[in-house]
Amino acid sequence: MTVAYQVWAPSGMPEVAKGDDLAVLIATAEPDLADGDVVLVTSKVVSKAEGRIVAADDREAAIDAETVRVVARRGTLRIVENRNGLVMAAAGVDASNTPAGTVLLLPEDPDASARSIRAGLRDLLGVDVGVVVTDTFGRPWRSGLTDVAIGAAGVRVLDDLRGGTDTYGNPLVATVVASADELAAAGDLVKGKAAGRPVAVVRGLPHLVTGGGADDLGARALVRGADGDMFRLGTSEAIREAVTQRRTVRAFTDDPVDPGAVRRAVAAAVTAPAPHHTTPWRFVLLESAASRTRLLDAMREAWITDLRRDGRSEEAIARRVRRGDVLRNAPYLVVPCLVTEGAHHYGDARRDTAEREMFVVAAGAGVQNFLVALAGERLGSAWVSSTMFCRDVVREVLDLPADWDPMGAVAIGRPAEPPKPRGERDPEDFLTVR
């Protein structure tokens, strides 16, 4: 049996203006629509009919207004997420095919626009068709542009084949076809960008047309959520977000931590600058609960001894000790250590102090790299200084060389709750210009 479909772009569509009824215009240009057809409508004419033309001498300001999140930036080009969750260049703000001094915004709710056109065609022609609102996208890792669905009604936007088998009987476990995008691309082949044919019709694929109702998900279902988006940001933006989103996490879930993620963070840590071409970082990974408990119990005893020596009350000591619970409650601990191998010795107190400080700064840079890389792995962390106050105890419990100086401890895990908003810090408060 031969399987085929037809796709064509009707002629006769006039220039669309604000307030025009697109269903009337489409029905006039293509009065022979039939049940099961899919009507593909370029978003530009939808925007014009809905009055989404705005005066904007500065296109960048219009892009700012439509942007929810900057995904990537290179020069003046911005890839952003707009109000509808679409990730695209310039938030879909278009300065072409619109009068000078104006820009064209995408439809405010493309799915609602598609539903309105579909209902209008049913009323006018008595047909049950699917409607897809399309726009032109670039794609990561692929050159060239293609049309995709940004709004849909009465169309199976995703064709889920999971649970079936291929021609060899192999189970399909990950195959979900973006049917609405495939329809949009097919229509773009006949509409053209400058041919004055903003509508296309696909006939012969009635299985993709739904009756509406609960299975009519709209094109919003094509937008991948943040949790499943492995490429949510461009490279430089991802680095900046990891830096700005890094927080001290004090409550963790019981979810296990991927040791590979910690090792990748260590790989980032050891790229920090260091004096004299040295490598002053060592990271002790406490992956077993027994090793963590043994260390923390010994540190607690040392801490209590110090606090009693300072004359603290038992109540005050208990409060202080509870502050260390962030380490005890974390499913993974790392103890970064400083090694000053390769340091110069001058025999002069001033210069020897400065030499050690250089190594301490390098250790801090390594720890910061480590924490930022953990944030990039979507892991929460808390750097706690407590190991620095009982270095001999830590070295003894962990059987570390005498020249390894513990530089705090890092608790790692999945955050148990969303981070609280960070207090605003104006960079100008930290600057002195000479």
Side-chain angles (χ1 to χ4, degrees), residues 345-424:
H345 299 284
Y346 299 97
D348 174 280
R350 176 179 57 84
R351 289 193 291 170
D352 284 341
T353 297
E355 182 77 7
R356 177 172 173 78
E357 287 174 344
M358 287 197 306
F359 278 80
V360 172
V361 169
V367 170
Q368 175 70 355
N369 276 13
F370 182 62
L371 299 177
V372 170
L374 290 172
E377 296 279 354
R378 298 293 190 265
L379 288 170
S381 65
W383 177 80
V384 180
S385 63
S386 52
T387 67
M388 300 171 69
F389 291 88
C390 52
R391 286 175 167 145
D392 289 340
V393 170
V394 175
R395 279 190 286 258
E396 180 180 355
V397 172
L398 298 181
D399 192 23
L400 303 180
D403 61 345
W404 286 28
D405 274 348
M407 304 297 287
V410 180
I412 303 171
R414 300 286 175 190
E417 55 192 24
K420 295 179 181 178
R422 188 191 298 275
E424 290 295 326

Side-chain angles (χ1 to χ4, degrees), residues 21 23 50 110-123 131 153:
D21 188 327
E50 295 178 355
D111 284 334
S113 302
R115 290 193 296 270
S116 176
I117 295 170
R118 181 174 187 250
L121 292 172
R122 184 191 299 115
D123 292 343
V131 174

Side-chain angles (χ1 to χ4, degrees), residues 127-369:
V127 293
D128 192 12
V129 299
V131 174
V132 176
V133 177
T134 72
D135 198 59
T136 304
F137 272 45
R139 297 148 303 150
W141 309 293
R142 304 286 288 179
S143 296
L145 304 171
T146 187
D147 264 19
V148 302
I150 66 168
V155 173
R156 182 174 291 108
V157 294
L158 292 167
D159 198 6
D160 192 346
L161 304 180
R162 292 173 296 182
T165 57
D166 63 17
T167 54
Y168 293 94
N170 299 311
L172 299 174
V173 295
T175 305
V176 181
V177 178
S179 304
D181 282 348
E182 292 185 327
L183 289 166
D188 192 44
L189 291 172
V190 295
K191 284 188 297 184
K193 298 300 179 190
R197 295 176 182 244
V199 173
V201 179
V202 175
R203 177 169 293 168
L205 300 173
H207 65 284
L208 295 179
V209 177
T210 71
D215 60 346
D216 194 358
L217 302 177
R220 184 75 190 191
L222 293 162
V223 177
R224 192 186 298 275
D227 290 345
D229 188 352
M230 295 177 65
F231 309 99
R232 189 161 170 77
L233 294 168
T235 302
S236 59
E237 290 74 20
I239 293 171
R240 281 197 295 273
E241 178 165 285
V243 172
T244 58
Q245 295 302 313
R246 188 213 64 76
R247 304 290 182 86
T248 295
V249 175
R250 300 193 179 278
F252 301 94
T253 69
D254 294 331
D255 296 341
V257 172
D258 174 15
V262 177
R263 284 162 172 77
R264 290 190 292 272
V266 171
V270 299
T271 64
H276 313 314
H277 305 288
T278 58
T279 54
W281 320 275
R282 303 292 186 271
F283 292 84
V284 184
L285 313 184
L286 277 65
E287 296 185 338
S288 73
S291 64
R292 295 191 295 273
T293 300
R294 187 167 61 253
L295 173 65
L296 295 176
D297 285 350
M299 287 173 54
R300 180 173 57 189
E301 292 305 314
W303 197 3
I304 290 172
T305 298
D306 284 345
L307 292 171
R308 284 174 176 160
R309 186 184 302 119
D310 294 340
R312 302 280 184 175
S313 69
E314 293 302 313
E315 182 181 355
I317 291 173
R319 284 199 305 270
R320 291 290 189 94
V321 169
R322 279 197 298 272
R323 294 177 188 174
D325 286 348
V326 63
L327 296 178
R328 195 170 292 275
N329 295 335
Y332 200 109
L333 288 183
V334 174
V335 178
C337 295
L338 168 66
V339 176
T340 57
E341 182 180 279
H344 295 173
H345 299 284
Y346 299 97
D348 174 280
R350 176 179 57 84
R351 289 193 291 170
D352 284 341
T353 297
E355 182 77 7
R356 177 172 173 78
E357 287 174 344
M358 287 197 306
F359 278 80
V360 172
V361 169
V367 170
Q368 175 70 355
N369 276 13

Side-chain angles (χ1 to χ4, degrees), residues 43-134:
S43 63
K44 277 190 176 65
V45 297
V46 178
S47 295
K48 289 180 177 180
E50 295 178 355
R52 296 283 285 165
I53 300 176
V54 297
D57 295 329
D58 183 2
R59 180 171 176 247
E60 294 302 307
I63 295 171
D64 289 342
E66 293 295 302
T67 295
V68 172
R69 176 176 62 90
V70 176
V71 174
R73 184 192 304 267
R74 180 171 294 175
T76 59
L77 175 63
R78 281 186 285 171
I79 307 297
V80 305
E81 178 185 343
N82 73 4
R83 300 170 187 267
N84 291 310
L86 301 170
V87 175
M88 59 195 310
V93 175
D94 199 342
S96 63
N97 295 311
T98 185
T102 66
V103 294
L104 198 60
L105 311 181
L106 289 179
E108 192 163 354
D109 184 345
D111 284 334
S113 302
R115 290 193 296 270
S116 176
I117 295 170
R118 181 174 187 250
L121 292 172
R122 184 191 299 115
D123 292 343
L124 292 164
L125 301 177
V127 293
D128 192 12
V129 299
V131 174
V132 176
V133 177
T134 72

